[in-house]
Amino acid sequence: MIKLTQLATAVAMVVAANAAMAGEVEVLHWWTAGGEAKSAAELKKIMQSKGHTWKDFAVAGGGGDNAMTVLKSRVVAGNPPAAAQIKGPAIQEWASEGVLANLDSVAKAEKWDSLLPKVVADVMKYKGNYVAAPVNVHRVNWMWANAAVLKKAGVAGAPKTWDEFFAAAEKVKKAGLIPVAHGGQNWQDFTTFESVALGVGGAGFYNDAFVKLDKKALTSATMSKALETFRKVKSYTDAAAPGRDWNLATAMVIQEKAAFQFMGDWAKGEFTAANKVPGKDYICAAAPGTANAFTFNVDSFAMFKLKDAAAQKAQADLAAAIMGTEFQEVFNLNKGSIPVRLNMDMAKFDDCAKLSSKDFVATSKAGGLVPSIAHEMAVPPAVSGAMKDAVSQFWNNDKMSVADGVKSIAKAAATK
Ligand code: BGC
């Protein structure tokens, strides 16, 4: 029979072995709103259950511009975090600087190639090697509506076309409520604009203008129509919109002060955190004219090269956890997005997530699946940054002509 002292020694050895490989992961992200913070906390919990220490590096600011500025200064100072929320073409830019770690051994062991849609896997790789791990698929072309407000205003259900939308907005205004909850920050203006352009011009136009940056599309009559429609949406926002954070705009819809918000499904994280039920308290519908399209926004963590062996182990465990079924389910239930890992059980997800999941697959087959330019999935950050500013200049200046707006956005798109 094993003696108690021997048992104690064995236990001590196991604990020591675990402790030796327990490391710290410092994770940079911008998930500070209610639903976002809950989601990030789930990842922290999983890492702690593996014995690692989570060092939270949260930089507030929707859309992530502030976080990216802080990240640059940390990397330049030679002190990068283990992981940072970096998306789309920016992953390639960071990798080309030679600062990202190779995640191939984790990816191979966990079979990422067979668990991810190819369009997503390609974005996570640099020169064929994984350098980032994806967490979710957000859909950007959503319109959120408060059911009670629509009822009060006499609007029967979510409008499907822009004409229907403006008719509904008029009714809400007449009922003394705010038709569109908006936060006047450049990334929110751009988020609304890409949905309007998608609805006005369709996925083919969107792709030409915002992915291929085709000059003809950017200066077309369709683009003028998109800007006119965008300006008309602004006329239904309230005077306090400038500078407002996106989650405060969502709160206006939750609290029955406003009818609609154009925002990606991280907004659903706020409804969920407020215990609101889709189909009953609120409605999720594709932005007018965009039901057959899907603007995708995949959040991901790029991993930086680290020297310390325990930190490297913690980093590899983080990468594996992110793609694991446990995390993919619990994180996305809170975040409002859908799992990026294929063949996940969607039983616990709500109807909005189920619709998103169905539309993601359908549009990837039929051709309406397009990357979100406002959320850094379509073009390099320098280009989207310049376009974002041009769109906001138009939004903020009612005296700027549509023709000048078109010109300045096309000029910004030509940024090298
Ligand atoms: C990110 C989301 C985030 C949102 C608001 C988006 O760019 O992809 O994860 O919730 O910004 O901060």
Side-chain angles (χ1 to χ4, degrees):
M1 214 179 76
I2 185 164
K3 282 199 192 123
L4 218 54
T5 48
Q6 282 173 328
L7 186 65
T9 316
V11 168
M13 277 167 68
V14 171
V15 170
N18 277 341
M21 281 328 270
E24 179 183 272
V25 274
E26 186 180 22
V27 183
L28 174 95
H29 62 89
W30 63 88
W31 291 327
T32 55
E36 294 178 327
K38 271 187 147 182
S39 318
E42 294 296 341
L43 187 54
K44 176 179 173 177
K45 246 192 259 165
I46 293 177
M47 288 305 285
Q48 286 174 336
S49 75
K50 292 182 192 297
H52 298 302
T53 310
W54 173 277
K55 191 168 174 198
D56 203 45
F57 186 2
V59 180
D65 285 348
N66 298 346
M68 289 304 101
T69 307
V70 174
L71 176 64
K72 270 178 209 144
S73 64
R74 279 283 301 268
V75 180
V76 168
N79 181 25
Q85 194 186 344
I86 300 176
K87 307 189 289 190
I91 295 174
Q92 308 296 314
E93 289 190 356
W94 280 106
S96 70
E97 299 286 330
V99 290
L100 297 188
N102 184 325
L103 303 177
D104 279 352
S105 59
V106 183
K108 215 177 222 152
E110 303 285 326
K111 304 192 172 58
W112 288 7
D113 272 341
S114 62
L115 293 173
L116 287 174
K118 190 168 181 303
V119 282
V120 176
D122 288 348
V123 179
M124 302 301 135
K125 291 178 185 174
Y126 178 67
K127 296 194 171 156
N129 305 313
Y130 278 99
V131 292
V135 302
N136 62 1
V137 180
H138 270 305
R139 185 184 200 175
V140 179
N141 61 314
W142 282 116
M143 178 178 67
W144 307 93
N146 182 295
V149 171
L150 293 195
K151 202 163 169 222
K152 210 184 269 176
V155 175
K160 293 195 170 59
T161 64
W162 285 105
D163 285 345
E164 279 178 28
F165 173 78
F166 291 121
E170 258 319 296
K171 288 186 180 166
V172 175
K173 200 171 161 185
K174 290 218 172 83
L177 293 157
I178 299 164
V180 178
H182 184 75
Q185 297 176 345
N186 63 2
W187 72 272
Q188 294 186 63
D189 302 342
F190 206 16
T191 298
T192 302
F193 182 61
E194 73 171 30
S195 284
V196 170
L198 181 67
V200 168
F205 165 74
Y206 180 102
N207 207 45
D208 287 345
F210 297 151
V211 183
K212 293 187 192 150
L213 301 173
D214 172 51
K215 197 162 174 221
K216 237 172 98 190
L218 283 161
T219 55
S220 62
T222 308
M223 189 57 134
S224 299
K225 184 86 203 296
L227 278 177
E228 278 159 19
T229 311
F230 181 52
R231 177 164 278 166
K232 198 162 171 194
V233 171
K234 186 192 169 187
S235 70
Y236 290 101
T237 61
D238 67 323
R244 176 188 286 139
D245 286 331
W246 69 270
N247 52 317
L248 300 182
T250 310
M252 290 164 64
V253 178
I254 293 175
Q255 294 159 8
E256 299 183 18
K257 292 182 182 142
F260 302 105
Q261 184 186 20
F262 296 101
M263 189 49 66
D265 41 22
W266 44 94
K268 202 187 73 188
E270 297 298 294
F271 285 99
T272 306
N275 293 317
K276 299 293 177 192
V277 179
K280 181 175 157 272
D281 303 314
Y282 71 98
I283 299 165
C284 56
T290 74
N292 294 327
F294 190 118
T295 31
F296 67 90
N297 169 23
V298 174
D299 283 313
S300 48
F301 282 104
M303 310 273 169
F304 284 84
K305 280 181 184 160
L306 302 172
K307 293 195 187 84
D308 178 64
Q312 285 173 357
K313 168 79 169 75
Q315 185 183 53
D317 284 355
L318 176 69
I322 285 172
M323 273 291 290
T325 50
E326 180 193 0
F327 169 77
Q328 288 280 323
E329 181 179 83
V330 72
F331 177 88
N332 287 304
L333 281 170
N334 285 294
K335 189 69 171 63
S337 37
I338 55 171
V340 67
R341 182 182 165 123
L342 296 169
N343 304 321
M344 285 277 301
D345 181 1
M346 294 295 287
K348 288 196 190 143
F349 286 83
D350 63 26
D351 289 347
C352 304
K354 284 182 183 138
L355 177 64
S356 182
S357 183
K358 182 177 125 302
D359 288 351
F360 183 67
V361 175
T363 55
S364 74
K365 286 184 185 145
L369 184 64
V370 288
S372 164
I373 185 166
H375 292 277
E376 309 298 352
M377 300 303 295
V379 297
V383 179
S384 59
M387 290 176 73
K388 185 159 45 184
D389 288 344
V391 165
S392 285
Q393 270 162 20
F394 177 80
W395 175 268
N396 290 328
N397 180 2
D398 293 337
K399 294 208 178 82
M400 186 182 219
S401 70
V402 166
D404 283 348
V406 168
K407 249 186 251 160
S408 91
I409 293 169
K411 189 170 165 226
T415 303
K416 290 287 171 240

